[in-house]
């Protein structure tokens, strides 16, 4: 099986998001990953639901929003209306994690939980039935271009053994031609990649190199 690749718009050229979306779609991306940062949970501030809604009109790619924001509940309706497909939250940002995931599902969206490198897997123990995706962070969130943290390989491996097969295991952060294969061998089935894809002149080639290493 070949893994899915979701380029992260955090590394795209911010003056040309529309063109970048078309280019990655034509290059075989399986979806696009939008890193939403509030300057609070993480230091940077990126984009809100308005930007997503505008780009929804010009792309048919799957849209995942990775909410690195405090009180994500407050913003879920907005992102839902913007036309996203998957809403991913961090457990540290929710007072009531089960309620927050239930809300995502009730909006008709796929739900995801992002696990920072120091967050253990057991936070999702009683949420398997309302979860569509686990985003294993290969780096501490906030920036692109960081080095993959090797200890997360074990997390991927254990997740693969313990969560239902229907739950997608995606790795976000530090994914390159040097790291994707080992993550894939541990059981990940999809990958976010920002700087590796967008710093390459040829997105098609970059995505193909990544996908090729996930064939098992
Ligand atoms: C990190 C973000 C990632 C980031 C990945 O805070 O969640 O999605 O864009 O960038 P790379 O692939 O360059 O590590
Ligand atoms: Zn992300």
């Amino acid at each position: 099986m070949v893994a899915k690749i979701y380029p992260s718009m955090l590394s795209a050229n911010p003056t040309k998001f529309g063109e970048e979306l078309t280019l990655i779609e034509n290059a075989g991306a399986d979806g696009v990953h939008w890193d939403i940062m509030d300057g609070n949970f993480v230091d940077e501030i990126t984009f809100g639901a308005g930007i997503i809604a505008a780009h929804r009109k010009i792309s048919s790619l799957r849209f995942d929003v990775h909410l690195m924001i405090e009180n994500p509940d407050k913003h879920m309706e907005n992102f839902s209306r913007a036309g996203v497909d998957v809403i991913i939250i961090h457990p540290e940002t929710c007072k009531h994690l089960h309620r927050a995931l239930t809300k995502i599902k009730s909006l008709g969206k796929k739900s995801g939980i992002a696990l920072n490198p120091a967050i253990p897997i057991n936070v999702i123990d009683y949420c398997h039935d309302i979860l569509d995706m686990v985003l294993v962070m290969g780096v501490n969130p906030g920036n692109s271009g960081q080095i993959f943290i090797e200890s997360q390989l074990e997390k991927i491996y254990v997740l693969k053994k313990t969560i239902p097969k229907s739950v997608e295991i995606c790795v976000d952060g530090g994914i390159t031609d040097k790291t994707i294969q080992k993550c894939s061998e541990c059981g990940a089935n999809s990958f976010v990649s920002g700087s590796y894809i967008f710093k390459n002149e040829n997105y098609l080639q970059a995505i193909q190199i990544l996908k090729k290493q996930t064939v098992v």
Side-chain angles (χ1 to χ4, degrees):
M1 263 260 290
V2 182
K4 293 189 164 36
I5 302 289
Y6 311 127
S8 162
M9 293 303 283
L10 190 61
S11 295
N13 182 336
T15 67
K16 297 188 193 169
F17 271 1
E19 286 168 48
E20 296 276 60
L21 275 177
T22 308
L23 286 173
I24 57 167
E25 187 159 7
N26 293 340
D30 298 285
V32 61
H33 181 91
W34 295 92
D35 286 303
I36 313 297
M37 304 184 182
D38 67 352
N40 195 9
F41 179 62
V42 292
D43 290 341
E44 291 294 325
I45 298 176
T46 55
F47 14 78
I51 298 284
I52 309 292
H55 291 91
R56 175 74 292 171
K57 295 195 183 100
I58 59 159
S59 174
S60 55
L61 281 170
R62 162 175 146 164
F63 275 20
D64 291 16
V65 280
H66 175 193
L67 301 185
M68 286 164 273
I69 62 177
E70 296 293 349
N71 297 317
D73 302 57
K74 225 169 98 180
H75 301 273
M76 281 172 194
E77 274 100 349
N78 280 347
F79 283 108
S80 171
R81 268 196 298 274
V84 306
D85 300 286
V86 185
I87 299 178
I88 304 160
I89 54 179
H90 281 259
E92 311 92 303
T93 64
C94 299
K95 282 207 182 85
H96 304 285
L97 181 59
H98 191 282
R99 182 179 288 153
L101 290 169
T102 305
K103 184 168 173 183
I104 296 172
K105 299 295 286 178
S106 72
L107 290 167
K109 305 300 176 185
K110 287 193 170 180
S111 66
I113 285 192
L115 298 178
N116 273 353
I119 300 293
I121 293 167
N122 63 11
V123 295
I124 60 169
D125 271 359
Y126 296 97
C127 300
H128 290 176
D129 56 331
I130 46 170
L131 198 54
D132 296 297
M133 178 195 224
V134 180
L135 192 74
V136 177
M137 295 304 298
V139 300
N140 287 294
N143 299 101
S144 60
Q146 301 180 77
I147 305 290
F148 181 78
I149 298 169
E150 294 283 324
S151 60
Q152 300 311 297
L153 290 172
E154 188 196 310
K155 189 183 279 179
I156 299 165
Y157 184 78
V158 177
L159 265 172
K160 182 72 177 176
K161 298 242 173 294
T162 51
I163 59 166
K165 289 211 177 344
S166 57
V167 180
E168 184 175 353
I169 302 174
C170 184
V171 185
D172 180 15
I175 293 301
T176 69
D177 58 340
K178 307 283 185 301
T179 57
I180 195 166
Q181 188 173 355
K182 47 195 172 191
C183 295
S184 169
E185 284 167 359
C186 286
N189 23 55
S190 62
F191 299 90
V192 174
S193 183
S195 50
Y196 177 76
I197 292 173
F198 284 103
K199 75 171 190 229
N200 202 302
E201 299 267 293
N202 184 335
Y203 300 163
L204 176 72
Q205 194 184 50
I207 291 174
Q208 279 179 349
I209 288 172
L210 292 178
K211 284 197 175 187
K212 213 166 156 193
Q213 295 195 56
T214 68
V215 183
V216 282

